């Protein structure tokens, strides 16, 4: 444990503070170089400078009081209107800017719950039905707001199945949710068909376009086949879309758009008995920082439609090069559908171990997003990746060769952990391990988190201790099941 940090006795010179901040970045992921996917959306240095300046102009402004900061309220209203237009919303469309996709989703779920409380008060345990590829922000919202999230299996192309969703709807269902596209594979759920299910059951439909909201409209304009997913589908009642993803805004900006006020009015929270005065808030947070809002507004203005189209063209080319390259590597295959600029790949049956390849890629300096069920690697491809697409494919090929030559690499800690996760009963163990890891990271006195991967730490140790035993037990359970089935 390091000594506890404290506020310096005497204030330091601004330059010294800024120098130290700049130096602190040294171990961070190098997102400018294109070796990071999904965490940062980089539209070039000039755009980055613009975001920083816009952010700085409003760094201290606070939209908690829109009368005191009419500038920010104007930016929020204009962003909402631009977004409503982009998503073909009716004139009645309304919305808010939030701090991120998770906050947009938290607001949507809370609002649907409040709406149901008002309109269908006999429902004691409200439920939302969604495909199992829905983002964990929905699990989080369901967890915090006492809503059950019923997850339904998807088809082989990772798309929601409208028939299965319809069968899952019950008397407690208050809304449906699906993604355009879902994050892991970039596959677009069949929103029109799901809309029919929603209409048949008199249910609202939330479309999570957190990653797709500022990507699909441009793909469509460029002539790519994009199934209808926005307010042109009559059953769609709300859409979450992140400005800080393909909107290339600064971090901390997302949108939640409603078809009309009959929904959004349930999003406003009002407290009247606070000694500090009447308090009203449209989103989850209280103080609403001006920086992200100004940077998002600046991004939309500075890019314009032509800018976003150019960024999208580059992202498509990068994604296609990576797809073609992966397909040409023996033993590897693409996952999901090539609907968007998100690429996901895995290994074919009998191919080399996917998670071992992922480890070897990481060793080559790539930041790798692993997916599961099925095992895969996810890439949110942006314009910034065009320059590295060929390097990436080359490194994947080398990593795959390495694992083919030495299959024991599959037993390295991270690969082993993800491999084990595929087996359901191990997940409880992993959950506990990951929680312990965070308790350690947030323990008193700790400053720099242990840079080693979770698998090298608590999870790895637990798996080392129990993994072999669990494997044997699971084998036995499998055999028993087969025997019972035969009878
Ligand atoms: C990123 C993402 C979210 C969550 O957004 P955050 O900004 O990370 O909170 C939700 N849904 C999808 C499909 C996403 O890609």
């Amino acid at each position: 444990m390091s000594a506890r940090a404290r506020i310096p006795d005497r204030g330091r010179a601004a330059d010294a503070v800024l120098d130290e901040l700049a130096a602190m970045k040294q171990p961070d992921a190098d997102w400018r170089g294109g070796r990071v996917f999904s965490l940062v959306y980089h539209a070039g240095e000039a755009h980055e400078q613009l975001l920083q300046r816009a952010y700085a102009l409003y760094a201290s402004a606070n939209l908690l009081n829109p009368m005191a900061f009419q500038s920010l309220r104007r930016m929020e209203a204009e962003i909402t209107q631009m977004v409503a237009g982009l998503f073909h919303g009716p004139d009645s469309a309304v919305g808010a800017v939030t701090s991120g996709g998770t906050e947009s989703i938290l607001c949507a779920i809370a609002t649907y719950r409040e709406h149901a409380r008002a309109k269908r008060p006999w429902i004691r345990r409200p439920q939302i039905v969604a495909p199992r590829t829905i983002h964990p922000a929905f699990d989080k919202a369901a967890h915090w707001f006492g809503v059950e999230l019923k997850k339904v299996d998807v088809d082989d192309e990772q798309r929601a199945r409208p028939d299965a969703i319809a069968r899952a709807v019950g008397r407690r269902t208050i809304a449906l949710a699906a993604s355009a596209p879902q994050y892991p594979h970039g596959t677009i759920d069949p929103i029109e068909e799901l809309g029919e299910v929603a209409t048949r059951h008199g249910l609202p439909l939330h479309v999570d376009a957190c990653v797709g909201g500022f990507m699909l409209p441009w793909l469509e304009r460029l002539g790519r086949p994009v199934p209808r997913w926005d307010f042109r589908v009559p059953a769609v009642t709300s859409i979450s879309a992140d400005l800080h993803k393909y909107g290339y805004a600064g971090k901390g900006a997302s949108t939640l758009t409603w078809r009309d006020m009959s929904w959004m009015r349930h999003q406003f929270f009002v407290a009247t008995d606070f000694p500090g005065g009447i308090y009203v808030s449209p989103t989850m947070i209280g103080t609403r920082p001006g920086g992200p809002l100004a940077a998002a507004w600046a991004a939309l203005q500075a890019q314009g439609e032509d800018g976003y189209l150019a960024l999208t063209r580059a992202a498509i080319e990068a994604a296609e090069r990576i797809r073609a390259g992966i397909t040409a590597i023996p033993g590897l295959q693409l996952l999901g559908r090539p609907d968007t600029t998100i690429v996901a790949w895995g290994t074919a049956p009998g191919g080399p171990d996917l998670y071992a390849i992922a480890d070897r890629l990481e060793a080559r300096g790539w930041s790798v997003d692993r997916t599961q069920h099925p095992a895969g690697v996810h890439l949110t491809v942006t314009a910034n990746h065009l320059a590295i697409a060929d390097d990436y494919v080359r490194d994947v090929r080398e990593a795959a060769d390495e694992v083919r030559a030495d299959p024991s690499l599959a037993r390295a800690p991270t690969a082993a952990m993800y491999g084990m996760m595929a087996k359901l009963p191990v997940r409880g163990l992993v959950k506990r391990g990951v929680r312990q890891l965070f308790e350690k990271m947030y323990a008193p006195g700790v400053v720099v988190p242990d840079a080693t991967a979770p698998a090298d730490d608590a999870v790895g140790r637990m798996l080392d201790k129990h993994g072999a035993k669990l494997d044997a037990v699971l084998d036995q359970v499998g055999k028993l099941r087969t025997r019972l089935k035969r009878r």
Side-chain angles (χ1 to χ4, degrees), residues 41 99-103 105 135 137-138 179 181-183 208-212 240 242 244-245 254:
Y41 296 65
S99 63
T102 299
E103 201 197 358
I105 289 161
H135 192 274
F138 287 83
S179 318
Q182 41 93 307
Y183 170 83
D208 181 15
C210 275
V211 73
S240 45
D242 291 355
H244 65 200
K245 288 186 180 158
S254 171

Side-chain angles (χ1 to χ4, degrees), residues 210-266:
C210 275
V211 73
F214 297 95
M215 173 231 281
L216 299 182
W218 313 121
L219 288 179
E220 186 180 338
R221 295 234 192 131
L222 292 172
R224 316 286 292 193
V226 177
R228 291 260 154 117
W229 64 275
D230 59 15
F231 287 114
R232 283 172 287 182
V233 178
V236 170
T237 39
S238 55
I239 297 174
S240 45
D242 291 355
L243 293 154
H244 65 200
K245 288 186 180 158
Y246 282 103
Y248 293 94
K251 282 296 179 251
S254 171
T255 60
L256 175 60
T257 311
W258 295 95
R259 181 171 287 279
D260 58 54
M261 191 56 81
S262 73
W263 298 101
M264 191 181 182
R265 83 168 42 102
H266 298 274

Side-chain angles (χ1 to χ4, degrees), residues 105-117 123-130 136-151 172-177 284:
I105 289 161
L106 289 172
C107 284
I109 301 302
T111 302
Y112 285 123
R113 190 197 67 182
E114 289 307 288
H115 185 272
R117 275 184 179 170
I123 296 179
R124 308 251 305 262
R125 288 181 303 132
Q127 173 198 68
I128 287 178
V129 178
F138 287 83
D139 295 271
K140 197 179 195 176
H143 174 72
W144 291 122
F145 300 143
V147 173
E148 183 202 340
L149 180 63
K150 184 161 185 164
K151 290 196 205 170
R172 296 192 288 116
T173 309
I174 60 165
L176 305 183
M284 287 293 138

